[in-house]
Amino acid sequence: MTTKTAAPQRLRPVRRTRTNNARRRESLTALGMATPAVVLLIVFLVVPVALAFALAFTDARLISPTPARFVGLRNFTQLFTDPVFYKSLRNTIYFAVVVVPLQAGLALVLALLVNAKVRGINFFRTVYFLPVVTSMVVVSLLWTFLYRQDGLVNNIISTLTLGHFQGPDWLGDPATAMPAIILMSVWQGVGFHMIIWLAGLQTIPAELYEAAELDGATTWQRFRHVTWPGLRSTRTFVLVTITIAAFSLFTQIRVMTQGGPLDSTTTVVFQAVRTGYDQQQTAYAAAISLIFFVLVLTVSLVQRFLTREKD
Amino acid sequence: MVFRTRRLAAASVAAAAATALVAGCASGSGGSSSGASGDTLTLWTHNAGNSAELDVVKKIIKDFNGSQSKYKVELQSFPQTDYNNSVVAAASARKLPCLLDVDGPNVANWAWGGYLAPIDVTGSQVPVEDQLDSTVGTYNDKLYSFGHYDVSLAFFARKSVLDEHGIRIPTMDKPWTKDEFDAALAKLKKSGKFTYPLEMGTGGSGEWWPYAYSPQLQSFGGDLIDRNGYKTATGTLDGKESVEWGDWFQSLVTKGYMAKKSGADPNKDFLAGKSAIQWDGSWNATKNAEKLGDDLAIIPPVDFGKGPKIGGASWQWAMSSTCSNKEGAQEWLKFSRQTKYFVDYAKATSTIPATNEAATQVEDYQPGGRFAVLVQFAQKYATLRPVTPAYPYISTEFQKAAQDILAGADPKNALGQAAKNIDNNLKTNNNYSG
């Protein structure tokens, strides 16, 4: 772009003012193009974040005849004595710790399979990607039925074991509710990261594989020394996006379990939404969101540090 | 280069700030009154998707618009699930319509929050005193809302099934006692014909929980909050009687009388014979009677010690405090208070008409009608959910406690935690006094 407009002007160096004018016009254009994005960012990102910071130290409510007052750290002291908050925190971390390696690993395996040059591969790519384009609410509703005591999952288990084993009430039992949600979430999300891995795989030059093959490298060695290093930046991206998505676990919980049974599936975001909307405690919810923000920020920074370019 | 970048940044921030300012002004410039442009008033209802009830609302609006030439009411309908959020959002933006409907238990909260204005409907065809108590919304001794109908909960069962198992069919004079009810459930369970003899809709969510189960808690002698001043829940919600209710409620699941989480359509399961006794709303009475005919038994709530109880209050009409044409809004409210409209609602939605006079004009609900007993339930057993701005909070806490109890939590702990949370909420809100 720049060279195209600048080139003819260089032919006529006499008219320097024109260059300045052109530059000014250019920066005006840039400004015009940046403004919508900047405005949207400010209105929907910067302002809400700033508001959350401010509200967390007040007693603002969703419905209230009195204006919000500054109450200092009251929301936070209340939060740190709230047993449900600790359960939410623990569940969120539990979910992330299991989902991140599981989903990233499974997605990589699928990507490697789908990257093979066999017939009908587009069919499999579509099949694996299908859950991703289905709304999470729909997926959650469907799986709620699958997971019922007399649902499809238990019917299959019963049939496979010839009726010797009766499956649990997946979402109604504190011991199985979270694993059931993890399984479903991985199933839903794995296709998306498969596509990202796939994109990464296809940036690796085929010559490297040919060279490795000529050198007599085994399949594993090719993966270890060509594929894995070649996926470096993809890896960072997948890791960061899965982690952040895992921390913001909400839709499945809202639709399938509402945090129950016995708080075994409540998460930080779910608690913030429940507190803010259902219980009308805006300020308290802002405090929870603030903690969530700090949590995600910390994890992202740690990840950035661990996956930094070492040279 | 540096200079340009900086200027660009500065300009962007300035542009963004200007936009934000404009946006801010726009939301602020609504001023303190809206909901009407001149004599055209907007009306909001939660009935989108519920055509039977919406048609009645439309009819009243059409009649009103045709009855005089000064005012004109315009309808806007929302799906029920989004309705409350829309009202709260509109209220924060000061964009509430003049007329809106409100779920009974929320009236105190919205009135306290300044969304609603007190109404004066004297001079309308039906005086407020003629209505069922549960269909009138008052807060701080002022009238804020009224409804055209109420609903009632009842136990539905098949007479033949109860007779077969030697279970007495109770009447209002002699409702089931706790022991009798438990014995009946034990018999039904033992017969082996029902996986779960009792169906109380435990798969439901939201307001269903306090609506369906807190009257049982009250029948045990407990309550959601100490109604004397509404200042504390400790000692009431976690008191001895309330814990007894919790133990009993939990035992329904542990003894296998009731599903921990019932199916998607409990009424269908009952009609299909999967359950013997169903705790359900009067809204299903017609459907049940059509399917079961004379075999249908409509059974009063169980008397757990303090008499049978059901929850009162359904959707009601109110006027927003920001309405710029309060005279017009009250004209519509008054106009809607004609017996024929009370009758229309009851007929269209098989709900209980709010006045006796209207009840006499609806075949099912007039004395001797097949559902007349439901009117008496609403008259004699209805208990309002606590009339306090704290109610939405209390409702969510009770719901969580009840769900935890069914999931196996210790009832004393679950109710104790709920009571503690409610007290804390009351304290941090200065008992909702200001």
Side-chain angles (χ1 to χ4, degrees), chain A residues 27 31 35 39 42 61-66 74 78 148 172 256 261-263 274 278-281, chain B residues 8 11-12 16 88 109 112-113 115 260 263 393 396-397 400 404 407 409 424-425 428-429 432 434:
Chain A
S27 56
L31 183 66
T35 310
V39 169
I42 290 180
R61 296 178 51 88
L62 194 59
I63 294 181
S64 175
T66 50
R74 190 180 78 188
Q78 194 187 332
R148 288 178 58 86
M256 298 173 82
L262 299 179
D263 300 324
R274 178 175 184 267
D278 302 346
Q279 304 201 310
Q280 306 183 353
Q281 304 189 98
Chain B
L8 177 72
S12 310
V88 171
N109 187 256
W112 167 79
Y115 293 11
K260 205 192 306 184
Y393 187 86
T396 59
E397 284 298 324
K400 183 176 183 306
D404 283 352
N424 193 27
N425 181 268
T428 52
N429 282 292
Y432 292 84

Side-chain angles (χ1 to χ4, degrees), chain A:
Chain A
M1 280 290 277
T2 324
T3 47
K4 265 185 193 165
T5 50
Q9 281 157 10
R10 217 175 289 142
L11 295 174
R12 287 172 281 173
V14 208
R15 313 184 63 168
R16 284 198 68 99
T17 44
R18 274 291 290 273
T19 317
N20 273 344
N21 274 344
R23 272 193 177 175
R24 195 168 300 147
R25 209 176 309 137
E26 218 173 84
S27 56
L28 270 176
T29 316
L31 183 66
M33 288 183 169
T35 310
V38 172
V39 169
L40 288 177
L41 271 177
I42 290 180
V43 173
F44 292 106
L45 197 81
V46 179
V47 170
V49 168
L51 268 179
F53 264 87
L55 284 174
F57 299 96
T58 68
D59 66 349
R61 296 178 51 88
L62 194 59
I63 294 181
S64 175
T66 50
R69 281 180 305 123
F70 179 76
V71 291
L73 291 172
R74 190 180 78 188
N75 289 320
F76 293 95
T77 49
Q78 194 187 332
L79 196 56
F80 289 121
T81 56
D82 183 353
V84 179
F85 176 66
Y86 288 104
K87 285 179 189 159
S88 300
L89 212 54
R90 203 190 59 202
N91 290 333
T92 307
I93 292 170
Y94 169 36
F95 183 82
V97 165
V98 179
V99 161
V100 173
L102 194 65
Q103 188 167 328
L106 206 61
L108 179 58
V109 171
L110 287 179
L112 289 170
L113 288 177
V114 164
N115 199 32
K117 286 177 182 58
V118 288
R119 280 166 65 88
I121 207 67
N122 278 337
F123 172 75
F124 289 103
R125 285 183 194 174
T126 314
V127 165
Y128 295 137
F129 197 67
L130 215 55
V132 180
V133 291
T134 313
S135 145
M136 187 50 116
V137 174
V138 175
V139 169
S140 301
L141 280 172
L142 285 175
W143 280 70
T144 310
F145 290 113
L146 298 186
Y147 277 141
R148 288 178 58 86
Q149 181 88 61
D150 53 357
L152 188 65
V153 172
N154 281 349
N155 268 325
I156 291 173
I157 291 178
S158 176
T159 313
L160 287 181
T161 59
L162 302 169
H164 290 300
F165 186 75
Q166 199 60 50
D169 177 6
W170 294 97
L171 295 174
D173 187 333
T176 53
M178 195 47 130
I181 286 181
I182 289 177
L183 185 73
M184 185 212 93
S185 307
V186 169
W187 173 82
Q188 198 266 350
V190 79
F192 177 69
H193 291 103
M194 175 194 79
I195 295 292
I196 299 194
W197 282 122
L198 203 55
L201 284 176
Q202 291 178 347
T203 61
I204 302 174
E207 299 95 84
L208 291 180
Y209 286 105
E210 280 168 26
E213 221 160 324
L214 287 177
D215 286 347
T218 60
T219 316
W220 167 248
Q221 280 169 332
R222 260 179 287 155
F223 175 77
R224 174 71 190 81
H225 297 289
V226 179
T227 313
W228 190 243
L231 287 174
R232 198 191 151 71
S233 47
T234 317
R235 211 156 60 218
T236 313
F237 179 76
V238 166
L239 201 64
V240 171
T241 48
I242 297 191
T243 312
I244 293 177
F247 272 113
S248 51
L249 171 65
F250 169 71
T251 315
Q252 298 93 305
I253 306 297
R254 184 77 168 185
V255 177
M256 298 173 82
T257 61
Q258 287 89 45
L262 299 179
D263 300 324
S264 59
T265 59
T266 171
T267 63
V268 178
V269 178
F270 175 77
Q271 202 195 354
V273 173
R274 178 175 184 267
T275 319
Y277 287 97
D278 302 346
Q279 304 201 310
Q280 306 183 353
Q281 304 189 98
T282 313
Y284 194 55
I288 298 176
S289 311
L290 202 57
I291 305 270
F292 177 67
F293 174 76
V294 172
L295 187 74
V296 173
L297 188 68
T298 314
V299 171
S300 305
L301 287 178
V302 170
Q303 277 184 343
R304 287 283 303 190
F305 177 74
L306 292 178
T307 56
R308 70 193 184 282
E309 298 281 347
K310 288 198 176 83
D311 40 68

Side-chain angles (χ1 to χ4, degrees), chain B residues 36 62 99 121 123 140 162 167 181 305 310 334:
Chain B
K62 194 167 159 259
L99 293 157
V121 288
N140 279 348
L162 297 183
I167 298 163
F181 187 49
I310 55 167
K334 278 189 211 171

Side-chain angles (χ1 to χ4, degrees), chain B residues 132 152 352-353 355-356 359 364-366 371-380:
Chain B
L132 286 173
S152 161
I352 299 168
T355 67
N356 276 331
D364 284 339
Y365 290 106
Q366 65 199 10
F371 304 139
V373 68
L374 290 168
V375 181
Q376 294 182 28
F377 290 178
Q379 281 169 347
K380 296 218 173 104

Side-chain angles (χ1 to χ4, degrees), chain B residues 346-360:
Chain B
K347 279 188 178 160
T349 56
S350 26
T351 46
I352 299 168
T355 67
N356 276 331
E357 202 192 332
T360 57

Side-chain angles (χ1 to χ4, degrees), chain B residues 181-247:
Chain B
F181 187 49
D182 284 346
L185 291 174
K187 268 186 211 164
L188 289 165
K189 175 81 185 172
K190 212 174 150 205
S191 75
K193 285 184 186 154
F194 307 97
T195 324
Y196 298 114
L198 179 65
E199 172 60 77
M200 294 218 289
T202 46
S205 63
E207 190 55 28
W208 169 252
W209 283 73
Y211 179 65
Y213 312 126
S214 74
Q216 297 175 339
L217 167 85
Q218 287 155 356
S219 183
F220 267 88
D223 207 341
L224 295 169
I225 185 172
D226 181 0
R227 296 203 187 211
N228 185 15
Y230 299 106
K231 287 197 173 76
T232 174
T234 305
T236 311
L237 183 53
D238 60 353
K240 191 168 139 281
E241 288 92 354
S242 298
V243 174
E244 274 168 24
W245 165 81
D247 289 333

